[in-house]
């Protein structure tokens, strides 16, 4: 069955849950709760990558995340560190993280690929065309799913040349990053193009703006967190059916149930 990654945002400004888990003890408790709900991996992040987000320094990022990573790892939870910074990746792996989740695929920090190669950790290569504060200016595609797959394939080759074996690589099509709402849907419909590259594929649609836009167009009812989590569970279940290795979500329990229903349907 497709694995579920639970999101643990240790940030004041993430678009959905910013500020809720800034205290390390609360973040650790939240992560363990997600683990009990069925999360296979806990993805800890200390810097928001929401649209328009401004970068923070690596020192501040590490101040936010390292105690949380260490605390969750000490409880036996598999931990991923969601970071754009090579120094944070190395420090987090030393604190117990097993995976580095880089939404930029090594493009934000020239030292990232070599740093990850030296840690032995698995590495998530996200599809990325630039920082959050201007990424939508780069959202130009003729065939979105094919172009995303081609750009990810180039990053895989670059990572391999830096010493990261293909078996350690996970691909993320970067839903919400440098893509319009319509382009996000096209990438999801064409997920086979990314899966065909042969790496494990991680899909993250959780509570993202294109889901809100779709739900808002469907009815006049307020698009609250519950509705976005339902939409996330549905898209995650569809991604699983398309062959995704894992999905990354805020509400693990809802997605767990959606995956179970699809598995029962498929027999």
């Amino acid at each position: 069955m497709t694995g579920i990654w639970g999101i643990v945002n240790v940030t004041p400004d993430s678009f959905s849950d910013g500020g809720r888990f800034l205290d390390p003890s609360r973040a650790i408790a939240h992560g363990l709760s997600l683990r009990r709900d069925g999360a296979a991996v806990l993805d800890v992040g200390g810097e928001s990558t929401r649209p328009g987000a401004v970068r923070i320094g690596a020192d501040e990022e590490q101040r936010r995340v390292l105690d949380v990573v260490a605390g969750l790892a000490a409880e036996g939870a598999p931990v991923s560190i969601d970071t754009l910074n090579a120094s944070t990746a190395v420090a987090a792996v030393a604190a117990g993280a097993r995976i580095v989740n880089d939404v930029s695929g090594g493009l934000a920090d020239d030292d990232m690929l070599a740093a990850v190669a030296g840690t032995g950790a698995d590495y998530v290569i996200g599809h990325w065309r630039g920082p959050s504060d201007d990424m939508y200016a780069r959202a130009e595609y003729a065939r979105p799913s094919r172009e995303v797959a081609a750009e990810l394939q180039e990053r895989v080759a670059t990572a391999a040349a830096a010493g990261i074996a293909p078996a350690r690589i996970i691909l993320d099509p970067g839903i919400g990053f440098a893509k319009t709402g319509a382009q996000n849907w096209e990438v999801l419909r064409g997920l086979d193009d990314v899966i065909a590259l042969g790496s494990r594929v991680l899909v993250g649609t959780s509570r993202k703006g294109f889901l809100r836009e779709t739900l808002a167009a469907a009815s006049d009812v307020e698009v609250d967190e519950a509705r976005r989590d339902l939409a996330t569970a549905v898209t995650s279940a569809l991604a699983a059916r398309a062959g995704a290795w894992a999905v990354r979500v805020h509400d693990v329990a809802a997605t767990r149930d959606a995956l179970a229903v699809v598995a029962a349907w498929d027999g």
Side-chain angles (χ1 to χ4, degrees):
M1 184 182 244
T2 299
I4 303 173
W5 286 30
I7 297 170
V8 182
N9 282 328
V10 194
T11 60
D13 58 344
S14 290
F15 72 90
S16 175
D17 53 3
R20 291 174 61 182
F21 306 112
L22 270 176
D23 178 77
S25 62
R26 291 189 65 190
I28 292 168
H30 177 59
L32 295 177
S33 175
L34 295 178
R35 183 85 169 131
R36 289 190 294 271
D37 284 343
V41 174
L42 300 176
D43 192 41
V44 178
E47 178 179 4
S48 175
T49 53
R50 64 178 172 78
V54 177
R55 298 294 312 275
I56 63 170
D59 288 346
E60 172 61 18
E61 180 187 31
Q62 291 168 36
R63 186 191 67 77
R64 295 176 183 178
V65 301
L66 292 183
D67 287 346
V68 177
V69 170
L72 291 171
E75 294 290 338
V79 177
S80 166
I81 179 65
D82 181 357
T83 185
L84 301 171
N85 295 306
S87 61
T88 300
V90 171
V93 172
R98 304 180 191 178
I99 304 169
V100 175
N101 180 11
D102 177 4
V103 299
S104 82
L107 291 171
D109 187 334
D110 291 340
D111 295 327
M112 179 66 89
L113 298 181
V116 172
T119 67
D122 283 359
Y123 184 52
V124 180
I125 295 177
H127 178 262
W128 196 75
R129 285 186 169 180
S132 295
D133 58 359
D134 73 343
M135 62 182 173
Y136 290 125
R138 306 164 193 257
E140 296 183 3
Y141 304 85
R143 302 285 296 274
S145 64
R146 292 189 180 183
E147 291 174 56
V148 166
E151 290 170 31
L152 285 172
Q153 189 170 32
E154 291 177 4
R155 298 311 300 161
V156 170
T158 303
I164 304 175
R168 292 168 55 191
I169 288 174
I170 302 162
L171 298 180
D172 179 346
I175 300 301
F177 290 92
K179 298 169 188 70
T180 65
Q183 289 163 351
N184 286 317
W185 287 117
E186 289 188 56
V187 171
L188 289 171
R189 283 192 292 268
L191 198 59
D192 284 351
D193 289 328
V194 177
I195 291 171
L197 298 177
S199 295
R200 294 167 288 172
V201 174
L202 172 69
V203 174
T205 62
S206 194
R207 298 179 182 171
K208 291 191 174 179
F210 81 108
L211 296 179
R212 179 188 55 75
E213 292 168 4
T214 298
L215 296 176
S219 77
D220 293 331
V221 179
E222 179 187 358
V223 183
D224 58 11
E225 188 172 285
R227 290 188 71 195
R228 285 185 292 161
D229 282 336
L230 176 59
T232 298
V234 173
T235 51
S236 296
L238 291 170
R241 177 173 271 182
W245 168 76
V247 292
R248 179 182 180 273
V249 302
H250 294 85
D251 186 340
V252 170
T255 296
R256 176 203 64 207
D257 291 348
L259 295 183
V261 169
V262 169
W265 182 292
D266 290 341

